[in-house]
């Protein structure tokens, strides 16, 4: 596309099927301690494709 | 829903429900802005009126761009619908396991920082140290209540945890002695003000702590404004050499050099750059959490200054990275391809449901920021969570339970934010801390802009970025599947 470039991102709709393992960090506890967004948390799902 | 913004000469379009990030030229930017409310012919007319004198713009070009917008829409990458409410909300509501504890190993501190949300470590109560027996029971409680989860997070927090250091070491040893048989992996974090850091602390933490959070507010005069001992002496000159030694010996393991900024240093990027110039490269700088009438509290007038600061930080991080002097900033550490799944993005913080703070006496609170507020006492590590009604409130607290989040473009990056911040600002955990929301949105715009700049630098804007180290093989991104 000439005027639109897209960065690869995780497909949130697909993650309905593959996500939800619950192994990722649960809060701000190991970091800022005063706020919690989830944008910078890492996915820890090791079994999504199995 | 989409969100459009211009930053650092980039025109960026975020698609909220798919998580897609598009970088567009100004013609496409305006077309996308008009697309949902304006007939096609009218869009063409408007674009011709605005850009028709440019060589690269004609009716056919504009029609093609509209076709591209529609192709992205059809592919679910633009104007995607929100289909997540039903599937993701139950994920948190049905969760019964506990997987993380904040152990308040010491309700006392050797510094006397007036801005401390924990009232100099005492949490508005008595000074106390957690006993080994209480800590051991907390770890057993965590193992007993974490069925189905392997990774267990335990944070040694205070007050100042190093004031109870021997118990910290004993508890880590105990956890290591039980984790294999229990099928668990303990990840420890220690937060410290640095005063008692010595070789023993450094060696032990480098062996056992998944992460260490080191408190430094930045420039000496900024740090020493608040972070003083009980004689009123600043701690900067004492702790900085220790932190340097600590970080240099950490061998690449995780740490955060974490500062707090207040109304008194709204030019906080100078403190971040000071940390970077000291040689630290994993940085965090947080807005102060305090009552609105506190002289340190951030004000509405500060907000535009803070916005500028976050933008300045982003631009400087890009520049320094190109020069080989890059550093990370906690709130800009986003991974667009392997970040959190939709369940996490809806559920948000696990406080009060799968994460609890444990006081030195073994009481359970939803998180460290609720400790000392008796209304939020939830039980103890011997009898378990007794206030199930309150736990249920936290389980049902998610991005869809907060009315103010419904129209927010950042909701699936934020997941509704911090329950404690919301409670302290509005009296309800399902409220929102509006000031924090504004800062969060600005930080997200900056974080995504950095990703755009790096993708452009790496030639990955149109060709697709390659999977990097740390790929979780989630199966959801377009890189490797």
């Amino acid at each position: 596309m000439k005027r639109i470039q897209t960065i690869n991102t995780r497909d949130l709709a697909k993650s309905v099927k593959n996500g939800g393992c619950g192994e990722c960090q649960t809060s701000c506890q190991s970091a800022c301690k005063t706020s919690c967004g989830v944008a910078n948390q890492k996915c820890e799902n090791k079994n999504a494709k199995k | 829903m989409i969100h459009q913004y211009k930053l650092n000469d980039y025109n960026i379009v975020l698609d909220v429900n798919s998580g897609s990030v598009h970088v567009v030229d100004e013609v496409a930017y305006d077309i996308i802005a008009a697309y949902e409310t304006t007939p096609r012919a009218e869009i063409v007319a408007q674009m011709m009126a605005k850009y028709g004198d440019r060589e690269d713009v004609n009716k056919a070009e504009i029609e093609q761009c509209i076709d591209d917008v529609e192709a992205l829409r059809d592919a679910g990458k633009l104007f995607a619908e929100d289909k997540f409410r039903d599937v993701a909300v139950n994920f948190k509501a049905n969760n019964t396991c506990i997987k993380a504890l904040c152990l308040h190993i010491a309700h006392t501190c050797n510094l006397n920082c007036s801005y401390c949300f924990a009232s100099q470590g005492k949490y508005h109560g008595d000074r106390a140290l957690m006993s080994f027996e209480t800590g051991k029971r907390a770890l057993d409680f965590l193992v007993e209540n974490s069925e189905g989860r392997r990774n267990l997070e335990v944070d040694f927090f205070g007050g100042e945890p190093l004031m109870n250091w021997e118990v910290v070491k004993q508890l880590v040893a105990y956890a290591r002695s039980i984790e294999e048989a229990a099928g668990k992996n303990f990840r420890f974090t220690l937060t410290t003000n640095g005063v008692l850091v010595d070789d023993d602390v450094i060696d032990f933490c480098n062996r056992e702590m998944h992460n260490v959070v080191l408190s430094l507010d930045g420039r000496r005069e900024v740090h020493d404004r608040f972070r003083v001992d009980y004689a009123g002496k600043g701690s900067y000159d004492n702790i900085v050499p220790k932190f340097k030694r600590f970080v240099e010996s950490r061998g690449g393991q995780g740490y955060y050099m974490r500062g707090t900024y207040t109304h008194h240093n709204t030019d906080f990027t100078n403190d971040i750059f000071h940390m970077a110039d000291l040689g630290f490269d994993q940085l965090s700088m947080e807005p102060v959490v305090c009552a609105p009438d506190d002289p340190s509290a951030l004000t509405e007038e500060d907000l535009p200054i803070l916005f500028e600061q976050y933008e300045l930080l982003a631009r400087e991080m890009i520049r320094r990275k190109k020069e080989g002097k890059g550093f990370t900033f906690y709130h800009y550490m986003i991974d667009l391809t392997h970040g959190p799944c939709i369940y996490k993005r809806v559920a948000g913080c696990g406080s009060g449901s799968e994460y609890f703070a444990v006081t030195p006496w073994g009481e359970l609170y939803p998180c460290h920021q609720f400790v000392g507020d008796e209304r939020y006492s939830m039980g103890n590590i011997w009898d378990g969570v007794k206030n199930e009604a309150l736990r249920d409130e936290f389980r049902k607290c998610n991005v869809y339970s907060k009315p103010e989040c419904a129209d927010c473009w950042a909701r699936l990056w934020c997941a509704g934010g911090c329950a404690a911040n919301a409670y302290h600002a509005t009296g309800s955990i399902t409220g929102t801390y509006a000031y924090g929301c504004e800062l969060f949105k600005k930080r997200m715009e900056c974080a995504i802009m950095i990703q755009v700049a790096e993708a452009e630098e790496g030639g990955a804007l149109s060709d697709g970025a390659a999977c990097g180290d740390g790929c979780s093989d989630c199966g959801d991104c377009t890189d490797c599947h």
Side-chain angles (χ1 to χ4, degrees):
Chain A
M1 293 181 183
K2 181 179 174 184
R3 301 182 185 277
I4 304 174
Q5 296 178 298
T6 301
I7 294 183
N8 283 332
T9 52
R10 185 170 192 179
D11 186 322
L12 297 187
K14 275 189 186 174
S15 78
V16 170
K17 181 182 173 189
N18 288 331
C21 75
E23 291 289 356
C24 58
Q25 191 172 311
T26 186
S27 72
C28 66
Q29 73 166 137
S30 293
C32 66
K33 281 287 188 184
T34 50
S35 66
C36 191
V38 297
N40 55 2
Q41 297 204 358
K42 291 178 183 171
C43 178
E44 303 243 14
N45 193 345
K46 302 299 182 193
N47 301 305
K49 291 203 305 175
K50 295 177 182 174
Chain B
M1 180 189 293
I2 60 169
H3 174 63
Q4 299 182 256
Y5 66 102
K6 300 187 178 200
L7 183 57
N8 204 23
D9 297 327
Y10 294 107
N11 304 308
I12 297 173
V13 181
L14 309 179
D15 187 58
V16 173
N17 293 318
S18 68
S20 300
V21 177
H22 308 286
V23 190
V24 304
D25 74 357
E26 55 190 351
V27 178
Y29 190 87
D30 287 350
I31 288 173
I32 291 169
Y35 180 77
E36 284 194 300
T37 56
T38 312
R40 188 182 183 104
E42 199 170 320
I43 293 175
V44 174
Q46 287 176 3
M47 295 305 115
M48 283 304 293
K50 186 170 182 181
Y51 298 109
D53 59 345
R54 282 174 36 168
E55 279 187 12
D56 65 330
V57 177
N58 56 47
K59 283 187 178 180
E61 284 278 351
I62 294 168
E63 293 276 5
Q64 178 60 55
C65 188
I66 297 173
D67 288 345
D68 291 342
V69 168
E70 291 182 344
L72 288 169
R73 180 201 61 191
D74 294 345
K77 291 180 179 296
L78 206 51
F79 308 115
E81 290 178 31
D82 182 352
K83 299 175 180 175
F84 305 132
R85 178 183 289 268
D86 295 336
V87 291
V89 166
N90 291 335
F91 173 71
K92 186 175 185 181
N94 295 336
N95 175 53
T96 57
C97 97
I98 297 171
K99 54 179 263 189
L101 292 179
C102 180
L103 296 187
H104 287 228
I105 205 78
H107 269 198
T108 184
C109 192
N110 43 16
L111 291 183
N112 185 25
C113 315
S114 62
Y115 67 7
C116 179
F117 77 84
S119 66
Q120 293 72 51
K122 304 185 298 297
Y123 290 83
H124 308 286
D126 298 328
R127 294 187 187 280
L129 301 178
M130 182 180 284
S131 70
F132 170 70
E133 288 305 319
T134 299
K136 177 173 175 289
R137 174 58 207 151
L139 295 174
D140 289 337
F141 170 81
L142 182 57
V143 170
E144 290 165 11
N145 286 278
S146 57
E147 186 179 354
R149 295 287 184 271
R150 174 172 163 72
N151 295 325
L152 304 181
E153 300 159 31
V154 175
D155 190 10
F156 294 108
F157 198 57
E160 172 50 42
L162 296 187
M163 293 181 78
N164 199 10
W165 177 233
E166 289 306 316
V167 170
V168 171
K169 289 197 290 187
Q170 291 167 12
L171 290 175
V172 170
Y174 176 69
R176 295 297 180 224
S177 75
I178 62 172
E179 68 181 345
E180 187 173 348
K184 305 297 183 185
N185 174 43
F186 279 97
R187 287 178 176 166
F188 294 106
T189 296
L190 178 88
T191 300
T192 179
N193 62 27
V195 171
L196 295 176
V197 166
D198 60 16
D199 287 342
D200 178 47
V201 170
I202 291 173
D203 292 345
F204 187 86
C205 288
N206 287 346
R207 278 200 312 276
E208 297 288 358
M209 296 295 167
H210 181 70
N211 198 16
V212 290
V213 181
L214 311 174
S215 298
L216 175 69
D217 281 353
R219 292 163 290 182
R220 178 186 283 106
E221 64 273 22
V222 171
H223 181 92
D224 285 349
R225 176 192 291 271
F226 291 108
R227 304 190 72 81
V228 298
D229 63 19
Y230 279 85
K233 184 170 184 287
S235 58
Y236 179 98
D237 287 337
N238 179 17
I239 65 164
V240 167
K242 293 177 179 179
F243 282 162
K244 280 187 171 180
R245 201 151 43 89
F246 202 160
V247 168
E248 283 166 6
S249 66
R250 199 135 169 83
Q253 294 185 89
Y255 74 92
Y256 286 112
M257 195 60 58
R258 184 215 182 277
T260 297
Y261 70 82
T262 73
H263 176 65
H264 302 294
N265 64 315
T266 52
D267 62 339
F268 66 86
T269 55
N270 286 321
D271 296 292
I272 295 177
F273 301 147
H274 178 78
M275 291 182 190
D277 293 339
L278 286 170
F280 303 123
D281 62 359
Q282 299 178 38
L283 311 180
S284 165
M285 181 65 74
E286 301 302 317
V288 69
V289 173
C290 64
D293 58 354
D294 189 301
S296 305
L298 296 163
T299 67
E300 287 299 320
E301 291 71 30
D302 290 336
L303 209 48
I305 300 168
L306 302 179
F307 288 166
E308 282 181 17
Q309 288 283 294
Y310 280 117
E311 292 186 9
L312 188 158
L313 173 62
R315 286 192 292 270
E316 180 66 6
M317 286 177 67
I318 293 169
R319 191 185 73 78
R320 291 197 184 205
K321 187 171 184 182
K322 284 179 183 172
E323 292 180 351
K325 298 187 295 185
F327 61 85
T328 61
F329 175 62
Y330 174 67
H331 291 291
Y332 291 173
M333 292 167 60
I334 60 171
D335 184 342
L336 294 174
T337 51
H338 301 107
C341 66
I342 188 60
Y343 297 95
K344 184 67 182 176
R345 288 170 185 252
V346 171
C349 181
S351 61
S353 59
E354 60 180 16
Y355 166 52
F356 289 88
V358 183
T359 68
W361 307 276
E363 300 164 280
L364 293 168
Y365 283 85
C367 86
H368 50 285
Q369 288 205 64
F370 286 99
V371 168
D373 186 340
E374 288 306 313
R375 288 167 291 187
Y376 281 86
S377 174
M378 294 185 73
N380 62 65
I381 54 176
W382 295 277
D383 303 320
V385 176
K386 307 306 286 182
N387 193 339
E388 283 294 341
L390 188 54
R391 190 179 185 190
D392 213 37
E393 276 186 46
F394 278 89
R395 281 198 189 109
K396 290 176 179 170
C397 182
N398 63 68
V399 73
Y400 291 109
S401 69
K402 301 189 170 213
E404 289 89 349
C405 300
D407 298 325
C408 178
W409 63 266
R411 65 177 187 263
L412 294 181
W413 299 95
C414 159
C418 171
N421 285 352
Y423 169 64
H424 292 132
T426 70
S428 168
I429 62 169
T430 55
T432 51
Y433 171 44
Y435 199 95
C437 294
E438 294 307 311
L439 296 180
F440 183 88
K441 286 187 282 189
K442 174 52 70 177
R443 291 193 299 249
M444 282 313 306
E445 288 186 342
C446 292
I448 291 168
M449 184 277 287
I450 291 173
Q451 294 289 311
V452 168
E454 291 182 353
E456 182 183 64
E457 181 80 6
L461 266 183
S462 54
D463 300 333
C467 259
D469 292 340
C471 172
S472 61
D473 206 18
C474 64
D476 296 338
C477 78
T478 49
D479 298 344
C480 48
H481 303 280

